[in-house]
Amino acid sequence: MAAISSLGVGSGLDLSGLLDQLEKAERMKLDPITTQKKTQQTKLSSYGRLKSSLTSLQAAVKTLNDSKTFQGVTSNISGSGATAAAKSDAVVGRYAIEVGTLAKAQSLATTGVADRTVDLGEGRLTISVGSGPAAKTTNIDLAANASSLEDVRDAINKANGGVSASIVNDGGATPHRLVLTSTATGKASEMTVSFTPAVGAEGGQLAGLLGYDAALPAEDNSMTQTVAAANATLKVNGIDITSQSNVVEGAVQGVTLSLSEPNSSQVLTVERDNAAIKSAVTGFVTAYNSLQSTISSLTSYNADTQVAGDLLGDATLRSAQSQLRNVLTGTLGEGALTRLADIGIELELKGTLKLDSTKLDSLVSGNLSALSGFFGGSSAEGGMAGQLGTVLNSILKDGGALSNVTKGVESRVKSLGERYTRVEESISATVERYRKQFTQLDMMLSEMNATTSYLTQQFDALNAQLKG
């Protein structure tokens, strides 16, 4: 008998539909696992939200615990002849800046040659930048077949000896001139140039092109000084200052001046960066209130809908909240300011913080050292920010409370996933066993139906003969 290609064809029964119903019933075993896994994944997401809020608060607390936060300054300079950038060690005050001359880099130029690609002679080019023990000397050997003006330019630039080289076309009969420029400004970066022909060589044109020494009369130098090296000169509150560079550091403590216009006057004002300090405090309040909002959402309960927050009653969350509240309600500072209320921050009944900006402004402008001490402190325990930072580090560190409970949930999610796979494989095996049994049943019933039909035909034929 031919194999049955579709369940129920041989028997006439809806075995395929019955198999579908059995498979559906079997797969219901997966529903509890799916529900448990979804619950754990939701809890894992909730721990992620809690960690994110705690990390934001940790960053805000770290800013308040940094003494540099309360030492920041801003600088403002009038006019367009100079700009200023102040660091935290700048001294608050007003400074009169008078720019005299700008620093310049020395430039030297050769006489012209007709062809910039023609070789000009073998030998050694020596360039010194500066004088005395601090001088930087570079020796460049030029081969006879690689000594064109272009070759000399490229060799100088490749040497990185504090000199840049270029070729200028002046439009004359012999237009190509090699120009050397010191890469640094100031008289300390003046150049000395000499060329020594190779032994046995005539030296070619280079011997008559390359040569400069400031100690010699101009007529004895092969090269012409087109720009003289110069130092920047300026006055700060009437005190004369000389600088090798147009970027002047140290003339005003903690301030870098960038000069751009000679014979100009400016007024530099250095002030405490009160806006940054207030921003740090308000940033802490905002981060803490955001954390409280997250906690409220995760632990809420709606009596009407009977829907609870994902972490309602969670021990790790309650512990973190309790530790932070204990710090905020304890004695925090070490000086005149000892409580949050002293700096204009009230801890409200609903757990959030409320900032009195007027009170904070008064402290920032009138008692900054006390405010800094309140947050940063000076002892090993530290002020409010130090104590909060210790608690937050304990909660958030690897191996801390939040890390451990998160890893536990992740482990349960993984375990449930593996269990789901095992049960699904078991269901597939069971359904396949049902399929084989139904196939055998279908074939057996098909054979019985065929036998019944045959016997019925034989009995009908026998009856017909007996009646005849």
Side-chain angles (χ1 to χ4, degrees):
M1 183 176 180
I4 295 174
S5 60
S6 180
L7 284 178
V9 172
S11 63
L13 300 176
D14 186 14
L15 296 179
S16 181
L18 180 59
L19 183 63
D20 289 343
Q21 293 180 37
L22 287 172
E23 181 177 8
K24 184 177 181 180
E26 286 289 326
R27 294 193 69 81
M28 290 179 66
K29 297 177 182 178
L30 295 171
D31 291 346
I33 302 175
T34 300
T35 300
Q36 293 175 49
K37 186 176 180 181
K38 183 178 180 181
T39 299
Q40 294 302 315
Q41 288 174 327
T42 299
K43 182 171 287 189
L44 189 62
S45 176
S46 297
Y47 282 133
R49 289 178 56 196
L50 178 61
K51 180 179 180 180
S52 178
S53 292
L54 286 168
T55 301
S56 295
L57 177 60
Q58 185 183 44
V61 167
K62 185 177 181 180
T63 300
L64 285 176
N65 201 33
D66 187 350
S67 60
K68 292 182 180 179
T69 299
F70 301 90
Q71 296 170 358
V73 294
T74 59
S75 61
N76 179 57
I77 192 167
S78 63
S80 59
T83 59
K87 296 184 292 186
S88 60
D89 61 339
V91 178
V92 174
R94 288 170 60 86
Y95 305 87
I97 310 296
E98 297 179 44
V99 181
T101 60
L102 297 181
K104 294 181 181 180
Q106 184 187 35
S107 285
L108 305 176
T110 67
T111 55
V113 299
D115 191 338
R116 59 194 285 173
T117 63
V118 172
D119 289 320
L120 302 173
E122 181 182 8
R124 169 170 285 189
L125 171 63
T126 301
I127 303 176
S128 294
V129 178
S131 59
K136 180 177 182 180
T137 300
T138 304
N139 293 312
I140 301 172
D141 291 321
L142 300 167
N145 61 350
S147 60
S148 69
L149 218 57
E150 291 184 352
D151 292 327
V152 176
R153 175 199 62 193
D154 296 342
I156 293 172
N157 290 333
K158 184 178 180 181
N160 292 319
V163 176
S164 66
S166 61
I167 296 175
V168 174
N169 187 327
D170 65 12
T174 53
H176 304 295
R177 303 175 67 184
L178 181 69
V179 177
L180 306 184
T181 303
S182 174
T183 56
T185 56
K187 290 184 177 181
S189 297
E190 287 184 326
M191 297 175 284
T192 300
V193 182
S194 64
F195 181 80
T196 305
V199 176
E202 297 180 1
Q205 287 183 256
L206 286 182
L209 288 174
L210 300 173
Y212 183 85
D213 188 339
L216 297 176
E219 59 272 14
D220 292 338
N221 286 317
S222 302
M223 303 180 75
T224 302
Q225 178 176 260
T226 55
V227 178
N231 294 332
T233 60
L234 66 154
K235 290 184 178 182
V236 176
N237 288 347
I239 299 174
D240 290 320
I241 295 171
T242 300
S243 171
Q244 293 288 323
S245 169
N246 290 317
V247 178
V248 183
E249 296 184 359
V252 177
Q253 179 181 325
V255 177
T256 299
L257 297 171
S258 297
L259 313 182
S260 59
E261 184 179 328
N263 303 315
S264 60
S265 299
Q266 295 83 24
V267 174
L268 168 67
T269 304
V270 179
E271 298 177 317
R272 187 64 59 196
D273 193 355
N274 293 342
I277 298 170
K278 290 186 285 186
S279 176
V281 177
T282 56
F284 158 71
V285 172
T286 299
Y288 186 84
N289 288 344
S290 177
L291 171 63
Q292 292 306 308
S293 177
T294 298
I295 291 175
S296 296
S297 172
L298 296 175
T299 58
S300 63
Y301 179 76
N302 189 318
D304 296 331
T305 61
Q306 297 186 344
V307 175
D310 299 325
L311 296 182
L312 178 63
D314 183 82
T316 301
L317 184 149
R318 290 203 311 270
S319 175
Q321 188 178 31
S322 176
Q323 291 180 69
L324 294 174
R325 182 180 288 272
N326 287 342
V327 173
L328 295 181
T329 55
T331 300
L332 303 172
E334 302 172 350
L337 308 176
T338 59
R339 298 178 301 118
L340 278 175
D342 293 338
I343 65 169
I345 299 177
E346 295 285 350
L347 182 60
E348 300 180 298
L349 291 177
K350 58 182 180 180
T352 56
L353 299 177
K354 183 179 180 181
L355 175 64
D356 184 341
S357 297
T358 302
K359 195 168 187 178
L360 176 62
D361 288 345
S362 177
L363 285 171
V364 170
S365 60
N367 200 355
L368 188 58
S369 60
L371 184 64
S372 176
F374 174 81
F375 285 112
S378 58
S379 67
E381 186 179 38
M384 187 211 76
Q387 294 177 44
L388 275 179
T390 299
V391 171
L392 288 165
N393 291 340
S394 175
I395 296 170
L396 291 169
K397 69 180 182 181
D398 189 25
L402 189 57
S403 173
N404 289 339
V405 73
T406 300
K407 289 178 179 178
V409 175
E410 290 173 341
S411 178
R412 287 193 289 275
V413 170
K414 181 181 179 181
S415 177
L416 287 167
E418 294 170 348
R419 181 182 169 194
Y420 185 96
T421 299
R422 292 195 301 270
V423 173
E424 192 170 40
E425 290 173 348
S426 174
I427 292 172
S428 296
T430 300
V431 172
E432 185 59 28
R433 187 174 70 250
Y434 286 153
R435 186 185 303 278
K436 291 179 179 179
Q437 291 173 347
F438 281 8
T439 299
Q440 293 172 355
L441 175 62
D442 204 19
M443 292 177 66
M444 183 182 70
L445 290 176
S446 177
E447 292 173 355
M448 291 177 65
N449 287 337
T451 300
T452 300
S453 177
Y454 172 77
L455 291 175
T456 299
Q457 292 175 1
Q458 294 300 314
F459 284 135
D460 288 344
L462 181 60
N463 287 334
Q465 291 177 0
L466 292 173
K467 289 180 180 180

